[in-house]
Amino acid sequence: MSYETIAKIINKIVRIFFILLGYIATIRTLFACFGKSKQLPPIKSDLLKISATQLAVKIRRKEVKSVDVIEAYINRIKDVNPMINAVVDQRFAEAMDEAVRADLLVEAAENAEEFANSKPLLGVPITVKETIPVKGLSNNAARSRIASNIANEDADCIQLLRKHGAIPLLVSNIPELCLYLETNNAYIGRTNNPYNTTRTSGGSSGGEAALIGSGASLLGVGSDVAGSIRLPSMFCGIFGHKPTPGFVSNNGHIPSSKDPMWHYYFTIGPLARYAEDLPLILRCMISEKSHLQRLSLDSNVNVTRVKVYYMYGEGPDSTLQDEPNFQMKKAIKTAVDIMGINFQCTTTKVDLSYFKNSFALTMLILKTKGIENVYQKDDENPDDYNAWRILEIMFKKFTFQNKASLSGILFGPLQSLINAMPEVMIEKLVKRLEYTRGKLLELLGNDGVLIYPTFSNEATFHDRLSGQILNISYCTLFNVLGFPVTQCHVRYTREGLPVGVQIVAAPEKDRLSLAVAEAISTVTGGWLSPDEVKASQY
């Protein structure tokens, strides 16, 4: 059986499983199309338009006070959250107290610049995806089988960020157990895109992306196993980074898995409004000195020497991926032209045939054992469910006795079918994956990046993404390959919706993709607030 045949089989399986979501999406979209977007209020404080890198310097130099910064962000959150619906739980009072202590620390220091190394984020606010524990706040991942869960301690990465001076403000909305491309659940409801509230913010880090895109957050902590940082970042006009696996601790995240492949596919990473802040927050999320040395995030990258390859997706003859639309292709061309014209990089269009039908390769993620799901009855046996249990949960869902999400319900039978695939098919997928990884390593080497679409289109109306589930392969391919990717905002459409590109580098060459994203943003101007984008349309 050829790889192409396997791809066609997987195509049919996945499309069958998402046909129900497609019907529901069609009905809901009819209402969304006639809805009117709510315009977010203009940003009132200039403190909200300063990058984290610059803000930390100003706080250390006593040019601004952390307490004023935190208050400005809290006020902005209160202004926009009724429209974007991104907040799950907050710690505003505690954050204000911590800001006061940060200011006192600066005042008492003989030379506050010493904090540039020990506490480079001193007094700077962050927000966190609700699946990542922040002590005292909700950490339930919108699970239908558990009513609530409060974190008893911070996740490893949050401990490190606090150690480096960051101040957590809140935890943000997600789909149940991160199992969908849109952010919606039975507890908090749906998160809206800040540039058009009738559109999706993406998932699963959609709450984070919406807050940052609206100017209500500066830095965010998200997670990514299938584009969950990159897709929302693109839809909401910000920057995000999926690091090389194994450098940022995943401990504490819900869901998780004891399967060794989990920590290869799944990574926690940063989101930011300004590209220059991504290396800063990423450094602060890594504890081991050897890891920091291997990534060399402090090294200056001469972007003029970076080889830029680009590709417009798998092409029109792909079985498992839609071709990117005009806006996405224009974003690719804009990014490539900037690197070629403004930075004199060598740019080369490539047609990587081994990328063809990459969604089939991403199905290997579903082979991961022990991922928490809506079917399990206890914490210890996530894989202990069968066809009867699946039917039971489905019956309860459709008789309104269960809060489980439809995407979460579909995960069980889909994973069961993938696990039931003949071993010879899995072996072919693994061999194809190894071949693809080797060829991409050979292409990129130590000085190359690949500019690649993030998705087939910009943010859709709510509930439309179920019919485009196969297009997640634009992102998920790099999870199964284990390559670092920086999501780079590039431009806005005529309708005022953000579009961007993925910048892919070889493993442990995160600094290259981060540097290229920052270079592009210096030319494009980077992020604009929703009201600025709206004003530019007239």
Side-chain angles (χ1 to χ4, degrees):
M1 186 180 294
S2 68
Y3 175 76
E4 287 69 25
T5 302
I6 295 172
K8 289 178 180 177
I9 292 172
I10 289 175
N11 179 16
K12 290 180 180 179
I13 290 173
V14 175
R15 289 192 186 279
I16 288 170
F17 270 91
F18 282 89
I19 194 168
L20 176 62
L21 277 177
Y23 280 132
I24 294 173
T26 300
I27 297 170
R28 288 180 174 174
T29 301
L30 288 174
F31 290 100
C33 290
F34 291 105
K36 187 176 181 181
S37 176
K38 299 175 182 177
Q39 182 63 37
L40 271 61
I43 290 177
K44 300 172 184 176
S45 171
D46 290 339
L47 291 174
L48 301 178
K49 292 188 176 182
I50 305 173
S51 73
T53 303
Q54 297 168 6
L55 194 59
V57 172
K58 289 181 178 292
I59 290 172
R60 291 196 299 270
R61 293 178 180 174
K62 304 176 187 178
E63 295 174 11
V64 301
K65 288 185 175 294
S66 174
V67 68
D68 293 332
V69 173
I70 299 298
E71 183 178 30
Y73 272 98
I74 291 173
N75 289 337
R76 179 64 177 171
I77 292 164
K78 291 178 178 178
D79 282 346
V80 303
N81 194 58
M83 283 158 276
I84 62 173
N85 191 38
V87 178
V88 176
D89 199 1
Q90 49 86 4
R91 55 186 306 277
F92 293 160
E94 296 91 334
M96 287 294 289
D97 289 342
E98 289 166 14
V100 170
R101 290 197 290 272
D103 289 332
L104 290 174
L105 196 61
V106 171
E107 288 292 335
E110 293 184 7
N111 178 17
E113 284 302 317
E114 68 189 53
F115 296 128
N117 293 321
S118 62
K119 293 182 180 296
L121 290 174
L122 183 62
V124 175
I126 62 169
T127 52
V128 183
K129 187 178 184 177
E130 195 263 356
T131 57
I132 300 167
V134 175
K135 186 177 180 179
L137 297 186
S138 175
N139 177 224
N140 197 41
R143 290 176 290 186
S144 53
R145 69 183 189 90
I146 297 174
S148 66
N149 181 59
I150 303 299
N152 294 320
E153 59 183 6
D154 291 329
D156 291 352
C157 60
I158 303 303
Q159 291 179 25
L160 287 168
L161 288 167
R162 283 187 191 265
K163 178 183 175 182
H164 287 100
I167 300 176
L169 297 180
L170 57 81
V171 289
S172 58
N173 203 23
I174 39 85
E176 183 175 15
L177 290 168
C178 302
L179 289 174
Y180 200 40
L181 308 186
E182 297 203 50
T183 295
N184 191 4
N185 61 65
Y187 297 98
I188 303 299
R190 183 169 63 195
T191 295
N192 300 317
N193 191 303
Y195 291 89
N196 186 319
T197 58
T198 67
R199 307 272 180 150
T200 179
S201 65
S204 61
S205 304
E208 275 306 295
L211 284 163
I212 297 170
S214 67
S217 178
L218 183 58
L219 300 174
V221 184
S223 59
D224 193 311
V225 74
S228 297
I229 286 175
R230 289 160 285 160
L231 187 66
S233 294
M234 199 273 281
F235 283 172
C236 295
I238 63 170
F239 299 83
H241 185 69
K242 182 195 89 67
T244 298
F247 285 81
V248 177
S249 170
N250 295 331
N251 290 346
H253 190 275
I254 298 174
S256 187
S257 169
K258 295 179 181 178
D259 190 314
M261 290 305 296
W262 174 256
H263 297 290
Y264 179 79
Y265 298 139
F266 174 85
T267 53
I268 286 177
L271 301 88
R273 210 181 320 144
Y274 302 99
E276 68 173 313
D277 292 338
L278 286 176
L280 171 63
I281 184 174
L282 181 58
R283 282 197 302 271
C284 293
M285 294 168 71
I286 299 172
S287 60
E288 295 186 31
K289 290 184 179 179
S290 62
H291 284 177
L292 288 169
Q293 290 170 351
R294 284 163 60 187
L295 292 184
S296 302
L297 294 172
D298 289 323
S299 300
N300 290 325
V301 175
N302 185 348
V303 292
T304 63
R305 296 181 180 177
V306 175
K307 297 174 183 175
V308 176
Y309 303 94
Y310 64 101
M311 184 174 171
Y312 292 101
E314 296 177 10
D317 59 339
S318 173
T319 304
L320 298 176
Q321 189 181 92
D322 294 331
E323 194 174 2
N325 69 7
F326 170 78
Q327 299 292 355
M328 302 306 297
K329 288 181 178 179
K330 189 172 181 179
I332 295 280
K333 187 178 187 307
T334 300
V336 172
D337 286 348
I338 286 171
M339 296 309 298
I341 297 170
N342 296 77
F343 296 97
Q344 295 79 51
C345 292
T346 300
T347 63
T348 307
K349 184 180 180 182
V350 293
D351 181 14
L352 307 181
S353 58
Y354 44 87
F355 274 22
K356 198 74 71 181
N357 295 321
S358 60
F359 187 87
L361 299 179
T362 69
M363 289 294 93
L364 291 170
I365 294 177
L366 290 175
K367 294 288 291 181
T368 307
K369 298 184 183 301
I371 301 176
E372 186 167 351
N373 56 76
V374 302
Y375 298 101
Q376 67 188 86
K377 294 183 178 180
D378 57 61
D379 293 337
E380 300 301 320
N381 301 288
D383 294 325
D384 185 21
Y385 64 90
N386 53 33
W388 291 112
R389 178 63 174 164
I390 292 174
L391 290 173
E392 177 191 354
I393 295 298
M394 285 184 171
F395 175 78
K396 288 183 177 180
K397 174 65 178 178
F398 294 113
T399 55
F400 306 101
Q401 301 177 61
N402 191 300
K403 290 183 177 181
S405 64
L406 281 173
S407 55
I409 287 174
L410 291 175
F411 172 82
L414 181 58
Q415 184 180 47
S416 298
L417 274 179
I418 297 300
N419 285 333
M421 288 173 62
E423 194 60 33
V424 65
M425 292 176 66
I426 299 301
E427 289 174 1
K428 284 185 180 292
L429 290 178
V430 171
K431 286 182 180 179
R432 177 64 173 246
L433 179 64
E434 291 172 351
Y435 175 79
T436 301
R437 192 173 195 275
K439 294 296 287 184
L440 190 57
L441 279 170
E442 182 182 332
L443 176 72
L444 298 183
N446 293 320
D447 58 357
V449 298
L450 173 68
I451 296 181
Y452 196 71
T454 310
F455 202 65
S456 56
N457 47 263
E458 64 274 26
T460 64
F461 288 108
H462 290 297
D463 299 305
R464 284 282 296 274
L465 289 178
S466 57
Q468 298 177 289
I469 193 73
L470 296 175
N471 294 326
I472 197 62
S473 60
Y474 281 106
C475 288
T476 315
L477 172 62
F478 303 108
N479 291 87
V480 292
L481 291 173
F483 281 57
V485 188
T486 303
Q487 175 59 40
C488 177
H489 169 67
V490 175
R491 55 185 301 276
Y492 299 89
T493 69
R494 288 183 178 179
E495 293 75 27
L497 295 170
V499 288
V501 299
Q502 293 185 92
I503 304 171
V504 184
E508 301 189 21
K509 298 296 184 291
D510 301 54
R511 62 186 178 277
L512 296 183
S513 62
L514 290 165
V516 170
E518 187 172 351
I520 291 171
S521 73
T522 61
V523 177
T524 63
W527 172 86
L528 292 176
S529 66
D531 58 286
E532 289 174 322
V533 173
K534 188 73 173 177
S536 69
Q537 294 177 279
Y538 295 102

